Amino acid sequence: LAVGLDLAKVLHAEQRYTFHRPIVAGQVLYGERRVSSVVVKRSKSGAGMVFVTVSTNFVGTDGEPVVDEEMVMVERDVPQAER
């Protein structure tokens, strides 16, 4: 999933899981990942941070939800002219 961040400036901020049912060893899961939000926050000096939330929904072979994951990444020290 390409989101155009400078990986040298990226921090892993948080990660959450919502389980809809137990995961069984050997179970096949299919995931769909998407960028669910991009938020730019700036200080008074103009430097900023970009918060990118990536969501992944996993379903079983029956198509029913198993687990949802949400991860937030932060790109720090983004100059004012960027993004």
Side-chain angles (χ1 to χ4, degrees):
L1 183 66
V3 292
L5 300 176
D6 179 350
L7 295 180
K9 297 180 179 182
V10 171
L11 302 171
H12 179 269
E14 64 182 84
Q15 196 159 359
R16 289 185 289 277
Y17 293 93
T18 302
F19 292 90
H20 302 287
R21 59 183 171 160
I23 298 174
V24 179
Q27 180 179 12
V28 175
L29 300 178
Y30 298 97
E32 183 175 310
R33 179 170 285 166
R34 64 184 171 84
V35 175
S36 49
S37 71
V38 177
V39 177
V40 178
K41 295 186 178 183
R42 300 217 173 272
S43 66
K44 292 179 183 175
S45 69
M49 296 187 295
V50 179
F51 292 79
V52 178
T53 302
V54 177
S55 300
T56 308
N57 305 103
F58 293 96
V59 298
T61 54
D62 59 2
E64 293 298 316
V66 177
V67 62
D68 297 326
E69 174 209 17
E70 190 171 83
M71 176 180 58
V72 179
M73 298 176 287
V74 179
E75 180 182 13
R76 55 187 170 72
D77 302 327
V78 178
Q80 188 167 4
E82 295 183 28
R83 308 254 190 268

